[in-house]
Amino acid sequence: VDSGFPRSPRGAIKLARALVAVVAFICFAASSAPGAYTSLAVMEVAITGLFFLLYLLRLDQRLSWLFWPLADVFNSVIAALFLLIVCLFAVIVKTNNGTLAGGV
């Protein structure tokens, strides 16, 4: 276990990403928003959590057949695009204040 990873810049960014996705999930779930909004937030929390565990347990060094930093960057770009699209839809539609808060 890499005990210094959560205090590193990469670890702090991963924790912040997961926290923002949890807050968005709570806002979407509380406002009974459509399932696509909540499921995307849950998927973002799960995938970010898996990458956090991957680096925390140093599995990236054991599983050397994949270039993990590139996979992490690819995941970040795809997640940012999906979240941007979903959040724009949530802000444009704004069925209620919870959906608007989750989109923001």
Side-chain angles (χ1 to χ4, degrees):
V1 174
D2 186 5
S3 60
F5 179 71
R7 293 183 299 273
S8 71
R10 261 186 5 184
I13 289 173
K14 292 221 179 301
L15 287 175
R17 267 179 64 185
L19 182 66
V20 168
V22 165
V23 168
F25 167 71
I26 290 171
C27 289
F28 287 144
S31 68
S32 65
Y37 298 159
T38 55
S39 63
L40 184 67
V42 168
M43 283 179 22
E44 177 62 24
V45 171
I47 292 171
T48 303
L50 289 175
F51 271 104
F52 184 80
L53 282 176
L54 176 90
Y55 291 123
L56 182 69
L57 299 176
R58 294 184 181 173
L59 293 175
D60 59 325
Q61 296 171 355
R62 289 186 182 182
L63 303 172
S64 61
W65 48 269
L66 183 64
F67 189 59
W68 290 104
L70 182 63
D72 195 13
V73 167
F74 183 70
N75 170 50
S76 297
V77 169
I78 296 298
L81 288 174
F82 281 160
L83 286 172
L84 178 68
I85 292 168
V86 165
C87 290
L88 283 175
F89 281 132
V91 169
I92 290 169
V93 173
K94 64 179 171 187
T95 55
N96 55 31
N97 289 337
T99 306
L100 181 63
V104 170

